[in-house]
Amino acid sequence: MKKLTLTTDCELLDYDELSAPERELVDRASEATFRSYAPYSHFSVGAAIRLSNGSIVCGANQENVAFPSGTCAERSAAFYAHAEHPDADFVAIAIAARGTDGKPLAEPISPCGACRQSLLQYELLAGREVPVLLVGRDHICRLPSVRSLLPLAFTSL
Ligand code: THU
């Protein structure tokens, strides 16, 4: 038997340690939480995606009375980004959330499985790693790629 060990590098940074473009993306994701429509969970998530054409596209979770019909912030941003800018590559992603008390979460959240798989599609399309910034009040977690969030991903039909 052979054993395969999969590891994920995650850097924990203060806001001040981020580059200016990273700080901008983090700010945009945090602002996007205020455009969340979450009447059921009261949990507001925002995502911001920097594209290779210089644009930043944001999304926020959108809930629906028929629960599965809603979507997460990450997918709302990713699908909007690629629908509006089909020729641009994803460069970086930031994700922020506010809890049911309306306050930014101390610890960052990380994307659900469906969002990881959806974001990976655009990382593969870009042909290079797309760093992911998970925004918490106390620190920001920087992952080198979407792939690092989804070991053993399904990538081929
Ligand atoms: N949600 C996101 O938008 N992104 C995540 O990464 C996790 C969860 C949303 C879905 C739902 O509207 C609410 O947060 C509570 O699960």
Side-chain angles (χ1 to χ4, degrees):
M1 186 192 79
K2 287 181 187 166
K3 193 171 163 189
L4 181 65
T5 303
L6 304 166
T7 58
T8 302
D9 284 328
C10 176
E11 298 170 301
L12 299 181
L13 302 144
D14 291 334
Y15 182 81
D16 296 345
E17 294 180 281
L18 300 174
S19 67
E22 285 174 325
R23 284 200 297 271
E24 185 184 16
L25 208 59
V26 162
D27 292 346
R28 295 289 298 273
S30 300
E31 285 162 23
T33 63
F34 291 100
R35 299 191 292 277
S36 151
Y37 175 61
Y40 304 105
S41 72
H42 304 286
F43 189 82
S44 302
V45 186
I49 299 173
R50 185 181 294 284
L51 299 173
S52 57
N53 64 8
S55 307
I56 293 178
V57 172
C58 298
N61 54 327
Q62 302 294 314
E63 297 184 350
N64 189 277
V65 64
F67 280 12
S69 305
T71 196
C72 293
E74 296 89 328
R75 272 176 289 165
S76 97
F79 295 158
Y80 177 47
H82 199 247
E84 276 287 300
H85 305 273
D87 300 324
D89 290 330
F90 284 26
V91 171
I93 303 167
I95 301 158
R98 283 184 294 117
T100 48
D101 61 1
K103 294 188 181 143
L105 298 183
E107 281 299 316
I109 61 154
S110 77
C112 76
C115 286
R116 292 175 196 212
Q117 187 75 50
S118 299
L119 292 170
L120 180 63
Q121 188 83 18
Y122 301 107
E123 179 170 272
L124 294 171
L125 211 51
R128 72 177 81 89
E129 292 191 321
V130 176
V132 181
L133 298 162
L134 305 176
V135 186
R137 199 181 57 227
D138 297 345
H139 53 251
I140 288 129
C141 172
R142 183 169 63 200
L143 293 134
S145 62
V146 176
R147 190 65 181 254
S148 66
L149 276 169
L150 195 59
L152 301 177
F154 175 66
T155 54
S156 57
L157 281 179

